[in-house]
Amino acid sequence: MRAFFLSCLLLVSGLYLFGQSASPAQTKAAASLIGLEFDSLERAYMQANLSRQRGAYESLREQRLENSIMPAVMFNPVLPGTRMPALAKEKPIDWNLPKKVKRPKQDGDLAFLSVPELASLIKRKKITSVELTQVYLNRIKRFADSLHCVVTLTEEVALAQARKADAALAAGTYLGPLHGIPYGVKDLLAVPGYPTTWGAAPFKDQTFSEQATVVSRLEEAGAVLLGKLSMGALAMGDVWFKDRTRNPWNLDQGSSGSSAGSASATAAGLVGFSIGTETWGSIVSPSTRCGVTGLRPSYGRVSRTGAMALSWSMDKIGPICRSAAGAAMVFDAIRGPDGKDMSLYPVAFNYAPDQPLTQLKVGYVEALFTGPRARRTSRLNDSLSLAAIRAMGVELVPIKLPEELPVQALSIILTAEAGAAFDELTRSNRDSLLVRQDMGAWPNTFRSSRLIPAVEYINANRLRTLLMMQMQAVMQEVDVLVTPSYGGNQLLMTNLTGHPAVVVPNGFTERGTPTSITFLGNLFDEASILRFAEAFQAATPHEEKHPDWLR
């Protein structure tokens, strides 16, 4: 059976045993493996084409493709009728920084303040950026080894940026709410002078000369880079080349992934905020596990220049914070075209912290909160969240998500693109250096992706267009859609369609680990879901809770 599989794999991949062309028997076996059947005459006719295709594959493989090179065929989430906030109507944001914040006596309490609270202290000169940076550096040195959440500490850069932030403020220049606030980035964003490991042993020593756009924009906003945070190898799970990143609420549990270190470090008060990425749950899942607030922006909102590509049509970059208001501040700093990433759209971000909730039409996916489709571990907390939302004076409109299309089957889009992104890793056999080598790990997935026919990949994307049309029809009924974070297929569905999501903590399980609720929005309308999330957090205490052992 193994020989049969390898024969089929080598044929479809264009790799031929001992340099021989495919035989009719191999063609029959390969066709059977992908669910097709050809008669003997058809197989005979195919031999010449297969030989020519082999030559084409070999020619293509002679050309080295860097991970950063996007396909010429690009995903566009914008359908006719999509409402896009016009840049001409963009308004300055009044962040309403809290004015009565006092510096806590204990550094352990200071470290858990939200971005708005830290911004208030720095702007009013109640603390310097150098002092705050040193607090976080000391905490990283004290706690990071227990959590396995930091890959590379950028202490020299951090202290230099903090001194620069303090000097600018002393000279009367205030760059905005991120001025002087320390943060960390998922280790798939390039920072010159430091390794960008992608969490994987084959790349643990790689460096890049170009800095990621997101890092540059945060530097321009006055933020202070503390370090590169751990990620599941090549953006899957929470296992990287040294260890598994831990959940600060339960050290026997991984932090989930793949933005494992970003969520763990934020929840543990080792950074003021962090940057994560999502392709299929990599912000939502670790934010849920670690009890923090994560924003997955719309596809086409934040530049991926200088970031590892896993799936060019699904990858997104967003903030992980301790509050929705903080996520809004970070998102505002990193959003927008950079002249390099061709997938970006120039649209406004009209975030209004004081917007009355009565101006927002809010729906909820009723079927996912009740009955057999509700998740047992989060059902109670999800129900209490709906009650809290109604107590805020919000009328919840029942909404149904699209159910006609085989959403789970569309995951072959991600699988095929990931296989292409790491084609050379598979062909060189360096995939054997990855720590995880089980059936669900990347090496097996990359190899299996070679057997996804191009026709099926294209047809999956055609079905994706239908899904986008159906989802747009649903979302046009509301400004905010409330859903369990793992309810039904919504997580994969909305990652495929490119819709934004905010995930916020909404309680704890019986074992004392966090749960979350998700607020979905229309394309490019991060403003509405962040405003709603901020109001939810003002009405509930969940984001204010932190692991006691880390204080």
Side-chain angles (χ1 to χ4, degrees), residues 137-474:
L137 286 172
N138 291 341
R139 288 179 63 80
I140 288 173
K141 293 172 183 177
R142 181 181 175 189
F143 296 117
D145 286 347
S146 297
L147 296 167
H148 305 289
C149 62
V150 177
V151 180
T152 303
L153 191 64
T154 57
E155 183 170 5
E156 185 177 330
V157 166
L159 291 172
Q161 290 180 341
R163 288 191 289 268
K164 182 178 179 181
D166 288 338
L169 193 58
T173 300
Y174 181 64
L175 299 176
L178 302 187
H179 190 123
I181 297 183
Y183 74 101
V185 297
K186 186 174 180 177
D187 197 24
L188 52 59
L189 290 166
V191 177
Y194 295 93
T196 300
T197 72
W198 299 349
F203 305 101
K204 64 184 180 65
D205 297 317
Q206 82 176 342
T207 58
F208 295 95
S209 58
E210 181 183 25
Q211 183 159 275
T213 293
V214 166
V215 177
S216 295
R217 288 192 168 165
L218 289 171
E219 184 176 350
E220 292 165 4
V224 173
L225 179 63
L226 292 169
K228 311 290 290 297
L229 306 176
S230 61
M231 56 181 283
L234 307 182
M236 178 190 281
D238 49 26
V239 176
W240 54 295
F241 60 85
K242 282 191 176 180
D243 212 301
R244 164 174 267 131
T245 304
R246 308 306 167 92
N247 176 9
W249 293 95
N250 180 359
L251 293 181
D252 293 329
Q253 187 180 56
S255 67
S256 189
S258 67
S259 302
S262 297
S264 179
T266 302
L270 307 192
V271 293
F273 67 89
S274 63
I275 300 296
T277 68
E278 173 153 326
T279 307
W280 180 2
S282 289
I283 288 176
V284 170
S285 185
S287 294
T288 298
R289 179 70 59 85
C290 298
V292 288
T293 299
L295 169 65
R296 181 192 76 213
S298 305
Y299 181 90
R301 264 297 210 174
V302 178
S303 172
R304 301 169 300 179
T305 301
M308 184 201 89
L310 178 65
S311 170
W312 295 277
S313 74
M314 293 178 69
D315 294 343
K316 310 157 202 77
I317 298 176
I320 295 177
C321 302
R322 286 185 283 275
S323 72
M329 292 172 176
V330 178
F331 173 69
D332 188 49
I334 64 176
R335 68 185 172 94
D338 65 349
K340 298 176 182 179
D341 185 336
M342 296 180 287
S343 70
L344 300 175
Y345 298 85
V347 290
F349 176 53
N350 284 315
Y351 179 68
D354 293 329
Q355 179 185 15
L357 295 184
T358 53
Q359 294 181 1
L360 297 175
K361 188 172 182 180
V362 183
Y364 75 112
V365 188
E366 184 177 25
L368 300 180
F369 284 93
T370 60
R373 299 178 66 182
R375 286 173 61 92
R376 182 186 61 80
T377 54
S378 60
R379 181 184 309 203
L380 175 59
N381 291 338
D382 290 343
S383 177
L384 292 173
S385 294
L386 292 183
I389 290 169
R390 291 188 173 103
M392 291 158 54
V394 174
E395 180 182 353
L396 289 168
V397 180
I399 295 291
K400 291 183 178 180
L401 290 176
E403 296 182 348
E404 297 82 8
L405 297 174
V407 173
Q408 198 68 29
L410 298 184
S411 65
I412 68 165
I413 295 171
L414 166 56
T415 304
E417 293 183 12
F422 293 100
D423 166 47
E424 193 276 333
L425 183 70
T426 301
R427 289 188 290 112
S428 68
N429 202 38
R430 290 192 303 134
D431 56 358
S432 62
L433 298 175
L434 295 178
V435 174
R436 285 190 58 197
Q437 293 289 331
D438 51 71
M439 185 179 295
W442 274 138
N444 186 50
T445 301
F446 293 157
R447 295 167 197 146
S448 301
S449 72
R450 313 300 297 220
L451 296 179
I452 299 173
V455 171
E456 264 63 41
Y457 171 76
I458 292 172
N459 281 337
N461 274 291
R462 295 172 70 196
L463 288 172
R464 184 181 189 179
T465 299
L466 294 179
L467 181 65
M468 290 160 56
M469 294 168 66
Q470 292 178 4
M471 193 64 189
Q472 177 173 272
V474 168

